[in-house]
Amino acid sequence: MKKVPNASRPSQWASLLDTLLDAFDTPEFDAKSRTDVVTWLALVDRWRRRTDLTAARSDSELVDLMVADAACLAAHLPSGATVVDVGSGAGAPGLPIGLLRPDLRVTLVEPLQKRVAFLRTALGTLGEEVAGRISIRQVRVEHVDDCFDVAMSRATLAPDEWMAQGAQLAPKGEVWLLLAKLPLPAHPGWRAVVDQRYVWPLTG
């Protein structure tokens, strides 16, 4: 088993990220993308020490929670797609997807002011280039009237409710359903194009 370092210093987030990405059969992400994810992880770590930004109990769990879904999904998203992430919280999975895939245009939908404040701080820290292709909408999902190529949400709505809502956001595109241990729900008129299953690399 590969030893995973403790990320007590910001410089060590890169080691945890590399260990996670190596566990997935994904394209090689460029150096800037990786650096941007590390910058964001270090910022999440600083904020979580003074607010309930995430439920992660360790550095390894934080990287799994924040990046594993993004690393898995990024390889399946169409080139140049517009993506909406509903209930972004601290940014996962939409923000790291946008960082790993600079060709995408990502909209983060989050109604809670505290989390939006963090997301705005993150984009401000990451710079104008990132902020130019990743945007934040402080609204509830029912008030989003744009259409996207791909709609995704994690742990925000019940599966059936999300599928109905996602279909409105991506009427001609794809709706991604992120489940922990629940089986894929049967839904009339729907079919699974991709069913990707995996275990968190760092914490199992």
Side-chain angles (χ1 to χ4, degrees):
M1 178 180 290
K2 186 174 181 179
K3 184 178 180 181
V4 176
N6 185 307
S8 57
R9 300 196 315 273
S11 61
Q12 291 180 307
W13 290 111
S15 297
L16 284 169
L17 178 64
D18 286 346
T19 300
L20 182 145
L21 293 178
D22 287 347
F24 290 97
D25 182 19
T26 61
E28 183 67 25
F29 299 114
D30 63 42
K32 183 181 185 305
S33 295
R34 288 172 177 252
T35 299
D36 285 345
V37 173
V38 168
T39 299
W40 168 64
L41 285 170
L43 193 61
V44 172
D45 181 51
R46 288 199 295 274
W47 276 58
R48 73 168 170 147
R49 296 178 186 280
R50 52 189 173 87
T51 183
D52 60 342
L53 191 62
T54 81
R57 295 164 294 182
S58 68
D59 296 330
S60 293
E61 188 173 341
L62 178 68
V63 177
D64 272 344
L65 179 66
M66 294 288 103
V67 187
D69 288 337
C72 179
L73 297 177
H76 297 286
L77 291 165
S79 177
T82 56
V83 179
V84 62
D85 174 26
V86 173
S88 295
L95 181 52
I97 284 175
L99 297 178
L100 293 171
R101 287 281 305 274
D103 60 300
L104 304 176
R105 295 295 178 267
V106 179
T107 299
L108 308 175
V109 175
E110 173 55 54
L112 298 182
Q113 174 59 38
K114 177 175 63 176
R115 294 171 181 174
V116 169
F118 170 77
L119 292 173
R120 287 175 175 158
T121 299
L123 292 186
T125 301
L126 291 164
E128 291 184 5
E129 187 273 329
V130 171
R133 51 189 174 79
I134 301 177
S135 59
I136 305 164
R137 297 280 302 276
Q138 187 180 354
V139 294
R140 295 180 61 85
V141 63
E142 56 266 29
H143 299 304
V144 179
D145 52 11
D146 307 82
C147 292
F148 303 87
D149 298 317
V150 180
M152 63 180 64
S153 181
R154 184 178 77 176
T156 302
L157 301 169
D160 284 344
E161 185 180 355
W162 163 241
M163 291 171 77
Q165 188 68 64
Q168 295 183 36
L169 294 171
K172 298 182 179 180
E174 302 174 358
V175 177
W176 286 86
L177 182 64
L178 281 67
L179 302 169
K181 298 180 179 180
L182 295 174
L184 189 66
H187 204 78
W190 290 72
R191 65 184 178 91
V193 178
V194 175
D195 185 0
Q196 186 76 29
R197 300 165 188 266
Y198 64 93
V199 175
W200 278 3
L202 300 177
T203 60

